[in-house]
Amino acid sequence: QVHVVESGGGLVQAGDSLRLSCAASGSSYAMGWFRQAPGKEREFVAAIARSGGSTYYADSVKGRFVISRDNAKNTVYLQMNSLKPEDTAVYYCAARIAPYFMVYRTSNDYDYWGQGTQVTVSS
């Protein structure tokens, strides 16, 4: 059983920064971040390959968010800058076994999910 655990959520003001962390047990995985706001469907945020060299971002966060990883710690990070109220959501981390350079952008591509961490951005 693969365990995926997110941390780092919280309440911040618009324009602030926040860093989320996600640790996955076992070996290295392709990882992704998704978010779900109240009354809305879960949406893709960012993804990173096992290599760390391939990343992909949703247009809504491109230029503000940065996904990175530390393979020695089996941990992925989501650095969120210039946060906006519309970034308010529960953020989920997801993992899957994958080829070294592959990046995945849809929730159906992932097999293992964390419990989510709340990010609230006040205006």
Side-chain angles (χ1 to χ4, degrees), residues 11-17 64 81-88 120-123:
L11 171 63
V12 296
Q13 294 186 332
D16 285 351
S17 297
R64 299 188 298 122
N81 302 318
S82 302
L83 282 161
K84 305 175 181 180
E86 50 263 45
D87 294 318
T88 295
T120 303
V121 184
S122 64
S123 58

Side-chain angles (χ1 to χ4, degrees), residues 81-105:
N81 302 318
S82 302
L83 282 161
K84 305 175 181 180
E86 50 263 45
D87 294 318
T88 295
V90 177
Y91 283 70
Y92 297 91
C93 180
R96 65 160 288 160
I97 297 170
Y100 196 58
F101 297 106
M102 286 295 294
V103 180
Y104 300 88
R105 294 175 279 168

Side-chain angles (χ1 to χ4, degrees), residues 23-101:
S25 65
S27 62
S28 173
Y29 306 95
M31 307 287 287
W33 285 98
F34 294 78
R35 66 186 182 186
Q36 188 167 19
K40 295 187 177 180
E41 294 186 353
R42 188 173 299 187
E43 65 175 2
F44 169 76
V45 176
I48 189 166
R50 289 173 56 211
S51 67
S54 299
T55 58
Y56 195 84
Y57 297 92
D59 288 342
S60 58
V61 306
K62 201 173 295 183
R64 299 188 298 122
F65 291 11
V66 177
I67 188 170
S68 62
R69 67 187 300 149
D70 182 340
N71 283 338
K73 298 180 179 179
N74 272 354
T75 299
V76 171
Y77 305 97
L78 186 68
Q79 177 66 43
M80 305 185 293
N81 302 318
S82 302
L83 282 161
K84 305 175 181 180
E86 50 263 45
D87 294 318
T88 295
V90 177
Y91 283 70
Y92 297 91
C93 180
R96 65 160 288 160
I97 297 170
Y100 196 58
F101 297 106

